[in-house]
Amino acid sequence: MSEAQPLPKNIGVVLFPGFQLLDAAGPLDALNILSLTHPLNLSILAHDLSPVSTRHHLHQAAGSNCQQSIVPTHTFANAPDDIEVLIIPGGTGSRKEENLDGVIEFLQKRWGSGGEEKKGALRWILTVCTGSAILAKSGVLDGRRATSNKKAFSWVREQNEKVEWVPKARWVKDGDIWTSSGIAAGIDMIYAWLEEVFGKETADLLADASEYERNRDPGNDRFAERWGAV
Amino acid sequence: MSEAQPLPKNIGVVLFPGFQLLDAAGPLDALNILSLTHPLNLSILAHDLSPVSTRHHLHQAAGSNCQQSIVPTHTFANAPDDIEVLIIPGGTGSRKEENLDGVIEFLQKRWGSGGEEKKGALRWILTVCTGSAILAKSGVLDGRRATSNKKAFSWVREQNEKVEWVPKARWVKDGDIWTSSGIAAGIDMIYAWLEEVFGKETADLLADASEYERNRDPGNDRFAERWGAV
């Protein structure tokens, strides 16, 4: 971040049916704590204002009813223009096209890709897990380095071959776009981002308050081998 | 767990205004993944069926609007009798008595403490962070070993001095009651519990799928010193 730029205040998170709870909750919990000492506004964005469930087609097939639903604050259509940071979780639900209704267009408008003119104040995009596959579909990652969930890596590659997919990485930073590996990796990424933007002291204080042991090395990723992504 | 006992299927999580998101989401995300291969039902319990927000009095004081609301599936009054496992997150909201309306009585009834007769199928209680302070208020932890959030440890101790509070522990297992240290420690605890109940192979597979590096040692807890709990 340029030192002349003010600290971000307005965050958005993109929800869709079948999102992975921890992909969203890991980063958001750190921001919830940060918001006690730094004014932050969070917009929870979805296609409409109905609660968005983590449940997806594979849960239905398994005969389980183990889901959580989060209440959106805005639709993609009426999302505030002042969102500076956008968090995109992944999840099995993203594999069904109908669950991403409105997501791709929203990303293209906010970043200014896919022939769209940039609208709004967006400065950073952070994806967790297969959230990078969603972002890849929007064209925003074309020509950029990015990572994703290691168990799903071969599927992710197929979503867009113009992305320089990095198999062995806890997270990848390419300019102001940060992509993390699967699920829990989003927690390490948010602390790395907080360190860059808010400083090391703040990031470490938040992690210690969360009793979280950070993986500080973006190259430290045993899950790439574990899941055959390399 | 006795080997003669069937694997648990019915889980409940207790929500209250100002709960800590990751306290709940860490364990629940692991259970969401488990529910793809093992039938699980989750009841999300609250005082009433209104969405329950993570926002608490300190967020209000800070001028931030950074919160998430989860939709309950049942009230404490109509919670299913077949709940076998109860997860209790902590959070700053638990410090205000009015936010715990109905929680203490519900715990006493389900475990059979505080002069209440045990009602229902409850076999395990798992608390995260200051969730153990809530459980301590119900009397369920009297005479038991338990741990809690390390930054809040002196406040937690004051909630019930009949509990044998263990300051240096990532988590503590006393019979079928498991208590974890702050926020992220709940993730290590749920994997330890899954290992005990569903087996090591299942627990490790879930953690690897979540790309989570487990802390497997309940005595490995640098946050006790970090926050002056010891």
Side-chain angles (χ1 to χ4, degrees):
Chain A
M1 191 183 72
S2 156
E3 292 194 31
Q5 295 256 38
L7 291 173
K9 281 184 63 174
N10 300 302
I11 318 278
V13 61
V14 168
L15 296 190
F16 54 86
F19 74 99
Q20 188 77 31
L21 181 65
L22 192 55
D23 289 10
L28 293 180
D29 197 77
L31 294 171
N32 287 353
I33 302 176
L34 176 63
S35 80
L36 294 169
T37 50
H38 178 85
L40 286 183
N41 298 312
L42 177 71
S43 300
I44 301 177
L45 311 171
H47 174 264
D48 56 60
L49 293 177
S50 313
V52 185
S53 170
T54 57
R55 187 169 166 88
H56 55 70
H57 53 289
L58 299 182
H59 287 121
Q60 287 156 2
S64 284
N65 188 10
C66 187
Q67 63 85 36
Q68 302 81 39
S69 293
I70 292 184
V71 183
T73 62
H74 297 81
T75 66
F76 297 125
N78 74 4
D81 283 341
D82 64 5
I83 292 173
E84 297 153 282
V85 188
L86 204 54
I87 298 169
I88 310 172
T92 301
S94 69
R95 299 199 181 205
K96 297 272 184 190
E97 207 67 45
E98 64 264 32
N99 290 332
L100 295 182
D101 200 12
V103 174
I104 306 301
E105 300 75 5
F106 175 73
L107 297 175
Q108 291 174 334
K109 279 183 189 159
R110 290 306 170 111
W111 195 257
S113 69
E116 293 281 352
E117 196 173 332
K118 181 178 167 72
K119 173 178 180 279
L122 190 61
R123 293 160 63 191
W124 291 275
I125 297 179
L126 284 70
T127 74
V128 180
C129 195
T130 52
S132 57
I134 299 172
L135 190 59
K137 285 177 203 273
S138 75
V140 171
L141 286 176
D142 287 8
R144 289 184 186 257
R145 297 171 69 248
T147 196
S148 194
N149 181 297
K150 295 309 145 59
K151 205 177 165 192
F153 213 74
S154 60
W155 175 80
V156 171
R157 279 185 195 278
E158 289 166 12
Q159 304 313 301
N160 186 337
E161 294 181 354
K162 291 183 205 155
V163 181
E164 192 185 323
W165 293 108
V166 182
K168 189 176 171 67
R170 189 67 173 165
W171 72 87
V172 168
K173 167 187 178 332
D174 186 319
D176 292 327
I177 300 188
W178 297 59
T179 55
S180 89
S181 191
I183 309 183
I187 306 178
D188 292 319
M189 181 188 67
I190 195 73
Y191 286 120
W193 179 81
L194 287 166
E195 179 166 327
E196 176 161 305
V197 176
F198 289 84
K200 183 170 186 303
E201 195 179 344
T202 297
D204 282 343
L205 188 65
L206 291 168
D208 280 359
S210 300
E211 302 191 27
Y212 182 73
E213 210 60 76
R214 293 176 60 185
N215 174 349
R216 297 167 186 273
D217 176 3
N220 175 4
D221 175 29
R222 79 168 173 88
F223 300 104
E225 284 91 11
R226 170 68 180 86
W227 295 113
V230 286
Chain B
M1 191 184 71
S2 157
E3 292 192 32
Q5 295 256 38
L7 291 173
K9 281 184 62 176
N10 300 302
I11 319 278
V13 61
V14 168
L15 296 190
F16 54 86
F19 74 100
Q20 188 77 29
L21 181 66
L22 192 56
D23 289 10
L28 294 180
D29 197 76
L31 295 170
N32 287 353
I33 302 177
L34 176 63
S35 80
L36 295 170
T37 51
H38 178 86
L40 286 183
N41 299 312
L42 176 72
S43 300
I44 301 176
L45 311 170
H47 174 264
D48 55 61
L49 293 178
S50 313
V52 185
S53 170
T54 57
R55 188 170 167 89
H56 56 69
H57 54 289
L58 299 183
H59 288 121
Q60 287 155 3
S64 285
N65 188 9
C66 186
Q67 64 85 35
Q68 303 81 39
S69 293
I70 291 183
V71 183
T73 62
H74 297 82
T75 66
F76 297 124
N78 76 2
D81 283 341
D82 64 5
I83 292 173
E84 297 154 280
V85 188
L86 205 54
I87 297 169
I88 310 172
T92 301
S94 70
R95 299 199 181 204
K96 297 273 182 187
E97 207 67 46
E98 64 264 30
N99 290 333
L100 295 181
D101 198 13
V103 174
I104 306 303
E105 300 74 4
F106 175 73
L107 297 175
Q108 290 174 334
K109 280 184 187 156
R110 291 305 171 110
W111 195 257
S113 69
E116 294 282 352
E117 197 173 331
K118 180 179 168 71
K119 173 177 179 279
L122 191 61
R123 294 160 64 191
W124 291 274
I125 299 179
L126 285 70
T127 74
V128 181
C129 195
T130 51
S132 58
I134 299 171
L135 189 60
K137 285 177 202 274
S138 76
V140 171
L141 286 176
D142 286 9
R144 289 185 185 256
R145 298 171 69 248
T147 195
S148 196
N149 180 298
K150 296 307 143 60
K151 205 177 163 190
F153 212 75
S154 60
W155 174 81
V156 170
R157 280 185 194 277
E158 289 166 12
Q159 305 312 302
N160 186 336
E161 293 180 355
K162 292 182 203 156
V163 182
E164 192 185 322
W165 294 109
V166 182
K168 189 177 170 66
R170 188 68 173 164
W171 71 87
V172 167
K173 168 187 180 329
D174 185 320
D176 292 325
I177 300 188
W178 298 57
T179 54
S180 88
S181 191
I183 310 185
I187 306 178
D188 292 319
M189 181 188 67
I190 195 73
Y191 285 120
W193 180 82
L194 287 166
E195 179 166 328
E196 175 160 307
V197 176
F198 289 84
K200 183 171 187 305
E201 196 178 344
T202 296
D204 282 342
L205 188 65
L206 290 169
D208 280 359
S210 301
E211 302 191 29
Y212 182 73
E213 210 62 76
R214 293 175 60 185
N215 174 349
R216 296 167 187 273
D217 176 3
N220 175 4
D221 175 30
R222 78 168 172 89
F223 299 104
E225 285 91 9
R226 170 67 180 86
W227 295 112
V230 285

